[in-house]
Every structure is written in structure tokens, then in C-alpha cells.
Amino acid sequence: MKRYLLFIVLIALAITSCGTSNDNKITITWWHFWTDTSIKPIIEEITADFEKKHPGVKVELVDLTWADGHDKIAISFSSGAGPDVVELGSDWIPEFSSTGHLLDISDKTESYRDGFLIWEPGLYENRHYAFPWILGTRVLFINQNLLMRAKYAPDYFPGYWNDLLTACERINSLGEEFYGFGSNSAERHRLYKKFLPFLWSNGGTILSNDGKSCVLDNPENVAALEYYLKLCKTGLTDTQRRLEDAFLDGKIGFVISGDWLLKRIAREKPDFAFNTALIPTPDTNSVISSFAGGEYLCVNSKSAHPDLAFELVKHICSPENQLKFCQQNKTPTPSSVTASTNDDFISQPHFMTFINQLKQSKMPPAHPKWVYIEAELERAIEEALYEVKTPADALKDAITKIDEILSQ
Amino acid sequence: MKQNGYAKGWMLFSPWIITFLVFWFFPLVYSLVISLTDYRLLDPSVDWIGFANYSKLFSDADFISSLKNSFIFVIGTIPFTTAIALALALLLNEKFKGRTFFRAAYFMPSITSMVVIALIFSNLYARGGYLHLLADMIGLAPPANGFLLSENSALASIMAMDIWMASGYYMLLFLGGLQTIPTELYEAATISGASKWHQFRYITLPMLKPVTLFIIVINSIKSFQVFIEIFVMTKGGPLNSTFTGVYFVYENGLRKFDFGYASAAAYVLFAIIAIASVIQFKFLKTEWKA
């Protein structure tokens, strides 16, 4: 019997000894997604720098992956064991802010509003819950070889919808293996990101100004969907991954994509003749033409050290640290205005396209029920794409369902 | 002394028992409780709503169509998988050169990662992919944007892949079954002048019944639970044509965080699978006795 007791005592010791630390430092935990070996050292450098400035504070980094990071964050917050600081994708914020899991940082961020871009995803009932960090947007990628074969100058880019349609038709008629436009197929959770910029640039909206009803069938929206379908007919419809493959193979004239494609081209096909441009607008009046997304930093409302946690957020988002991060990660779109005016930084090829496009980008409404609205919106786009319904009917039918979601 | 033996036994057994209770049994019961509430993962307020989730499910057109797709998947794959597996097993039970190679080759897909297979098939099925080109060459007029992007062929394409993938595994089970049949039975039948067909019909098939039952039940359960293929290849689209039961649970549970509703859907699926298994047992077992 004694032997068993010893065994149990040993196990108990082993379990309890794991959790204790022997210094009296305050620990701030930060859950983040940058696990790649090319960027993780920068994250560590930034946190080490914070520790140096705040003696007695230790920053504990926890790596998350895109595969299940979202679930882990949600589960940890719902069980009250969330980290002090968490990195959230822009479209995840509302579900956390609307349920009281995030610290209201409205007063703390007041003096920073002008120096950083796109605060909207962090807004819930006019209060701020998220600090913009690394943003992203999508631009038009152009295959210059196909452009020249279609008798355009290599530096040509379509400024307006009609120009794009004409250019796509001309490239599409070059031969069976060439496609004008690379359009997204019925890819759940991605299709709406491709369509919404067309809707916005045409002056359309999904919800009424007060956010209480759906106005999806207004003429601007219908016209935008009709244009998108026309564009789809001038090329290849496939998943984003395969569209980018085909673009790199030189088969597609125009494809809308983000900075990851820049990196991929540099890595896989550095000699590829391509250009980037702002996504065309219907006419000169439009100001918005792309879909933005990004990474935001939030403080847990149950954090034991909310002020220190916010200090860490500020430190990570400071222009110097953003610049350091973006330069290493080849991300053209920091949220900091100061960082995106650094001469060295913006001189990198194609970065200016992204920086300019970001100023003409928008995110979907920060609504706690967005994921439901998104599903109905995508259903409508799909029905029109597959010619089950006309664009007008498809959008009209979605209204009933979205209104129902809004009223719950 | 005897008591001590029991303690030792339980202690050796406890890692499994504890893991089973904590990670399997508790979630199972807990999700049944959750299915009667409006529990949303991030929402701290939870209310009892009785069977409201269940009644909502049966008026949810998406859920009904997801069940329909699951049934199509099960009914459309099982006869083919079973027949192909049996045919392969019969062939590979014969003695010929290179038999081991073929046995290994047909079994290979079932030990390969499903995600890898699904990605490869996504490419084969896409516009310009080899299967798409082949279909075009023999004049089958495949859908313009590839098999997975047409609402008429997406589900069938995933089913075909699943049959290809699963047949090898069930072939192995059939092979095992074939080898337990005593050779005397065939010798006796040959002496009595039974043809090859009669030997197959009256010896092989009846003797394989227990294995067949096992294969059909296991494969039905697996097919009702189809998820990874859908997740990797189509995400339920286009037009919900590949939106199956388990994918419905995933979408509502892990995308919309509506755990109550997702748990209710999971329990409806559980009931359907249980009923289907009982029916299969009854049906195949009595026939075997007769």
C-alpha cells in the first residue's frame, strides 16, 4: 500500500509543480497567430522590448494557428480563462465585443484615432473594443503578357468597370486556354468578400442606416450583382486557391487578391510580368472599391491588469513596431499612418497600390449576427451565379431572411 | 489480498476509464443537456428552452436538405463500395503473381490522409484537371467549371471519391472473411457438381454474411458522418448541394457558435444513425439465420 501512496504523492507533486513560478513578476499573456519562423522573432523582439521598458512585467506569448485558433479563443473566453491581450481577426470582434468579453477602450484610444486607420470593426454600440494593428486589403493583379497580347500597353490598367469588362473580353478571346477575369465560385465565407466591393463602389449597402432593416434589393445592389455576373462570364470561375495558381501559370488576365499573392510571386516566380492597380470603380464618383480585413488587438474585460494589457497593445501597435513587423513580414498595410508614410517602406514594389487601396476599402458592418447575414447574402449571390434566380429576385428573397435575423 | 488485486486492476485501468468518462461520456451527456438550452458559446446567459431547438430544426429548410444529402450520400455509396470491395476481394483471393502488390495497392487509399486525397481530387475534378479532361475527351460533356462547381455533379463527385477511397479497406475485411470459409465446403460442392456460380451463391455469400453486416453498418455510420471531404472540397456548396448533416452541425456549432442548436442537430443525426443500424442488424441477421 505504501508504494501506491508514494506513487500518488509523486504524481500530485508533478502536477502542482508545473504551474508555480518562483519570481514575483506580473504576467501578461498575449495570444497571437504569428508562428512562422520568419516573423516570430520580431514578435519576441517586440515583447522583450516591452519587458525592458516595464521591469517586473513578463509577457507570456501563446501561439495560435489559423486552423483552430478561433475556437480556442472562443472557448477560453467563455470559460473565463481568456488571455489578457488577444489578436482577433476583424470579422471575429463583434461576437466578442457584443457579449461583454472585451474591455471598453474608447477613452484610452481617443488620442490615437487619427493616427491609425479603420477602427470600425472594433465598434459596438458606439464604443471601441479593438485597436487596429496589421490590416489587409485586396487589389487588382494584372498579367502584363496577356495585356500586351490583347494589344494593350504593358502598363495599362482599367480605371472603370467598363474598361475592365472590355479588357477581360479581349483577353478571354485570345484563345481557349486564356481567361479574362478570375472570379470566385460558390466558396462559402469568401464569395461575399469578392462581391461586396462591387456593391459598395456602386453606392449600395446591405443594412439601412440605423442597422435595423435590410435594403439588399436597392437598384445599386442589383446593378452591382448584374455587373459581377457579366464579369464572371469573361473568364474562369474557380476557388481562390486555384485562381491564384492559374494566374501564376499565366492563364488569367485579371485577378483580385491580397498581399499574400505578392509574396507568392516573389517566392515562386520572381520574373513574372505583372502589375497591380486599384480595383476599378463604376465611375469617377465612387470612393470605395475593395474589401479590407485585418488583425486587431483587444484586451480581455476580465484581465487582472487591464492598464498594463492596454500598454502592451499600444506598444505592439506603435508606428516603430508596426514598421518593424511589416518590413519583415512584407505586409504593405500597417494600420499606423506614420508607418505607411516611411519612404523606405513605400518604395517597395506595389506597396503603394495597397496603401492607396486601403484608403478606399471597407469592412462589412460590425454586427454580432454578421455570420448569419453573410450566409444569406452568399446564398443570394450563388443563386444568381447559378442562374436559379435573377439578381433582383435573389437579393429580394434574401431580405425576408435577413430581416428575420435582425429582429431576433 | 484479493481487495488489493482489485485496486491494482482499477488503477491500471484508470487512465482509459478516466479519459473515457471525461472526454467521451461527459460531453455526450452534456451535449444532450445543451441541446435543450439556447446556449451560445460566448453568451453568458443560458435559458432552458425545452424542445424548441428540435422543433426549429424540422422547420429549417437547410437542415432538411442536409439530411437529404446525407441520405443520398449513404444510399449512393454503400452498395457500390460493398460490391466493389467484394469483387476485389474475390479477385485477390485467387492465387496469381503480384497478388500482394494489388492487395497493398488497393488498400493504400485508406491509410492516406483524407485531406490529402480530397485536395488531389479537387484538382482532378476542376476545370482542366485530368478527370475533367478525360470526361471531355470521351464526350461526356462535363460541367464547364469542373465537377465540384456544379450543383448537379458536386455531391456525386465526392461520393465517387469516397467509394474509390473506402473500397480498399472493406476489401481487406472481405478477404479476411473469405479466408475463414473452410475449403472442404468447396471441395464437397465441386464433387457434387456445383458450378462456380452456385458455389459463390450458396457457399461464399452466406458465409460472408457476418462480415457483410459489419461492413454495411460501419460504412453507413461513417458515411452519415461525412465531413472532411466536404470541408476541404466544397464547404457545402454550390447551392447547398453538398451540405450534409455533420456539416450543418459544424456550421452552426463552430461558425455561428450556436451550441444548443448544433447539439440538437447532432442528436437528431445520432438517432437516425442508431435507427439505421438497428434496421440493418435486424434485416441482415434474420436473413442469415434462415
Side-chain angles (χ1 to χ4, degrees):
Chain A
M1 209 59 213
K2 257 187 191 162
R3 264 188 309 162
Y4 296 131
L5 268 175
L6 186 70
F7 175 73
I8 289 163
V9 168
L10 276 178
I11 284 190
L13 267 178
I15 291 169
T16 50
S17 65
C18 296
T20 55
S21 70
N22 32 20
D23 46 40
N24 295 327
K25 282 188 169 178
I26 294 173
T27 304
I28 301 284
T29 44
W30 175 27
W31 287 18
H32 75 108
F33 286 85
W34 304 94
T35 52
D36 196 88
T37 46
S38 67
I39 193 68
K40 182 81 190 286
I42 296 287
I43 296 284
E44 282 165 350
E45 201 183 308
I46 291 173
T47 51
D49 192 32
F50 182 79
E51 287 171 350
K52 217 181 283 169
K53 284 182 187 154
H54 297 82
V57 178
K58 191 185 168 326
V59 179
E60 193 186 309
L61 281 175
V62 175
D63 298 350
L64 297 173
T65 64
W66 290 109
D68 63 358
H70 187 209
D71 302 345
K72 279 188 182 163
I73 297 171
I75 291 164
S76 75
F77 271 93
S78 72
S79 64
D84 296 291
V85 176
V86 64
E87 172 187 347
L88 290 179
S90 52
D91 46 349
W92 300 345
I93 306 168
E95 65 200 18
F96 290 90
S97 58
S98 67
T99 42
H101 290 291
L102 302 180
L103 186 75
D104 182 344
I105 53 171
S106 309
D107 304 331
K108 294 178 199 279
T109 54
E110 217 160 315
S111 55
Y112 298 98
R113 302 280 162 71
D114 294 334
F116 296 85
L117 300 167
I118 316 198
W119 291 84
E120 287 76 12
L123 275 175
Y124 178 68
E125 292 179 341
N126 290 323
R127 306 295 294 170
H128 284 264
Y129 295 91
F131 203 111
W133 182 31
I134 305 299
L135 302 172
T137 188
R138 290 155 178 83
V139 303
L140 189 67
F141 282 76
I142 307 168
N143 178 329
Q144 290 180 306
N145 279 331
L146 289 182
L147 213 53
M148 287 193 288
R149 289 185 61 168
K151 307 274 184 290
Y152 283 101
D155 56 354
Y156 171 81
F157 59 88
Y160 303 113
W161 278 10
N162 280 335
D163 303 335
L164 177 62
L165 201 57
T166 314
C168 287
E169 278 161 358
R170 270 164 73 171
I171 290 173
N172 207 39
S173 57
L174 285 176
E176 191 146 321
E177 68 272 39
F178 298 118
Y179 307 100
F181 186 72
S183 62
N184 287 70
S185 60
E187 223 181 334
R188 217 172 272 259
H189 312 304
R190 192 168 269 143
L191 183 59
Y192 79 96
K193 295 182 180 173
K194 291 300 159 130
F195 168 65
L196 278 184
F198 291 97
L199 183 146
W200 289 326
S201 68
N202 206 32
T205 50
I206 304 163
L207 303 181
S208 60
N209 284 337
D210 60 2
K212 286 193 178 122
S213 61
C214 174
V215 289
L216 208 50
D217 68 340
N218 69 33
E220 292 84 8
N221 296 349
V222 175
L225 186 51
E226 280 166 353
Y227 175 77
Y228 186 70
L229 298 186
K230 263 191 231 162
L231 207 52
C232 292
K233 291 216 170 77
T234 68
L236 179 68
T237 303
D238 214 322
T239 59
Q240 184 69 22
R241 185 179 62 86
R242 292 187 48 84
L243 285 179
E244 285 166 10
D245 291 349
F247 183 75
L248 272 177
D249 283 345
K251 289 181 184 163
I252 302 185
F254 300 93
V255 75
I256 292 173
S257 187
D259 55 20
W260 60 87
L261 188 56
L262 268 190
K263 280 190 247 179
R264 193 175 160 194
I265 295 172
R267 195 174 58 232
E268 292 175 20
K269 251 191 167 176
D271 301 328
F272 188 59
F274 76 104
N275 198 4
T276 53
L278 299 185
I279 298 174
T281 52
D283 48 51
T284 44
N285 301 328
S286 326
V287 281
I288 295 295
S289 64
S290 189
F291 188 99
E295 300 309 307
Y296 286 70
L297 294 176
C298 307
V299 176
N300 187 344
S301 60
K302 294 192 189 71
S303 166
H305 310 283
D307 292 330
L308 260 178
F310 183 72
E311 281 300 309
L312 178 62
V313 169
K314 250 170 46 188
H315 175 78
I316 301 164
C317 294
S318 71
E320 313 80 71
N321 283 331
Q322 283 205 20
L323 195 61
K324 208 187 275 176
F325 180 97
C326 288
Q327 263 165 341
Q328 177 67 27
N329 201 41
K330 304 241 178 309
T331 305
T333 43
S335 70
S336 156
V337 177
T338 319
S340 58
T341 46
N342 177 290
D343 287 336
D344 247 8
F345 182 64
I346 59 179
S347 64
Q348 298 182 69
H350 306 290
F351 271 31
M352 265 330 274
T353 317
F354 279 88
I355 293 168
N356 287 332
Q357 183 78 74
L358 187 66
K359 291 175 193 149
Q360 299 186 25
S361 299
K362 211 172 143 168
M363 298 200 193
H367 196 286
K369 283 277 172 75
W370 172 255
V371 57
Y372 289 87
I373 300 171
E374 172 199 309
E376 294 308 327
L377 179 64
E378 287 194 330
R379 191 196 304 265
I381 307 168
E382 258 185 63
E383 283 168 346
L385 259 177
Y386 283 84
E387 295 174 352
V388 180
K389 289 176 185 167
T390 63
D393 286 344
L395 292 175
K396 204 171 158 210
D397 291 349
I399 289 188
T400 332
K401 288 176 188 146
I402 295 177
D403 277 340
E404 202 176 302
I405 294 165
L406 292 172
S407 68
Q408 277 164 12
Chain B
M1 215 51 228
K2 204 182 170 198
Q3 203 120 41
N4 200 3
Y6 273 121
K8 213 186 267 179
W10 278 111
M11 208 160 97
L12 287 171
F13 209 40
S14 61
W16 191 85
I17 291 275
I18 291 168
T19 348
F20 171 80
L21 288 177
V22 173
F23 293 107
W24 206 89
F25 187 72
F26 171 71
L28 195 75
V29 176
Y30 191 55
S31 63
L32 183 62
V33 176
I34 284 178
S35 77
L36 303 171
T37 69
D38 63 352
Y39 177 56
R40 300 180 59 86
L41 186 58
L42 287 165
D43 199 341
S45 71
V46 182
D47 290 316
W48 283 100
I49 52 167
F51 288 93
N53 278 330
Y54 290 91
S55 58
K56 189 174 147 202
L57 272 176
F58 288 103
S59 58
D60 187 337
D62 284 350
F63 183 64
I64 303 294
S65 85
S66 79
L67 284 186
K68 198 185 92 196
N69 288 334
S70 286
F71 271 104
I72 293 176
F73 195 93
V74 172
I75 295 167
T77 54
I78 290 189
F80 290 104
T81 310
T82 316
I84 292 171
L86 179 60
L88 285 176
L90 288 170
L91 277 174
L92 294 177
N93 202 33
E94 300 294 319
K95 284 201 175 73
F96 62 92
K97 226 178 162 186
R99 182 171 73 157
T100 351
F101 167 76
F102 282 104
R103 281 184 183 176
Y106 286 121
F107 186 63
M108 205 71 98
S110 36
I111 51 167
T112 310
S113 154
M114 174 59 97
V115 176
V116 173
I117 290 180
L119 281 174
I120 294 172
F121 269 80
S122 300
N123 285 344
L124 292 175
Y125 281 142
R127 174 162 165 176
Y130 288 128
L131 284 174
H132 192 258
L133 290 176
L134 186 73
D136 204 25
M137 243 159 61
I138 56 176
L140 281 182
N145 288 321
F147 290 101
L148 295 177
L149 295 183
S150 156
E151 74 272 34
N152 300 318
S153 61
L155 187 61
S157 306
I158 298 179
M159 284 159 62
M161 180 191 87
D162 214 73
I163 293 169
W164 173 84
M165 184 177 162
S167 299
Y169 175 69
Y170 297 115
M171 167 204 81
L172 208 69
L173 296 183
F174 270 129
L175 261 178
L178 283 173
Q179 270 154 31
T180 60
I181 304 175
T183 43
E184 300 90 71
L185 289 177
Y186 292 105
E187 282 161 14
T190 317
I191 291 166
S192 322
S195 68
K196 276 271 170 200
W197 164 250
H198 277 107
Q199 291 184 22
F200 172 71
R201 174 68 188 81
Y202 295 105
I203 301 173
T204 314
L205 268 190
M207 295 298 282
L208 280 180
K209 205 127 255 177
V211 182
T212 315
L213 169 68
F214 176 72
I215 287 174
I216 290 178
V217 171
I218 290 290
N219 199 8
S220 304
I221 294 173
K222 266 182 70 179
S223 302
F224 265 119
Q225 294 174 338
V226 55
F227 175 74
I228 300 175
E229 299 91 315
I230 310 283
F231 182 76
V232 175
M233 298 170 87
T234 60
K235 299 233 183 323
L239 293 170
N240 276 355
S241 60
T242 59
F243 199 66
T244 56
V246 176
Y247 204 82
F248 181 92
V249 174
Y250 166 78
E251 274 283 326
N252 282 282
L254 289 169
R255 292 286 316 189
K256 298 175 175 168
F257 288 140
D258 196 344
F259 274 28
Y261 196 47
S263 300
Y267 264 92
V268 172
L269 269 178
F270 172 75
I272 290 173
I273 295 174
I275 292 168
S277 302
V278 168
I279 293 173
Q280 285 167 346
F281 260 99
K282 274 234 156 101
F283 190 65
L284 283 162
K285 241 190 171 159
T286 45
E287 214 183 303
W288 180 40
K289 273 183 196 157

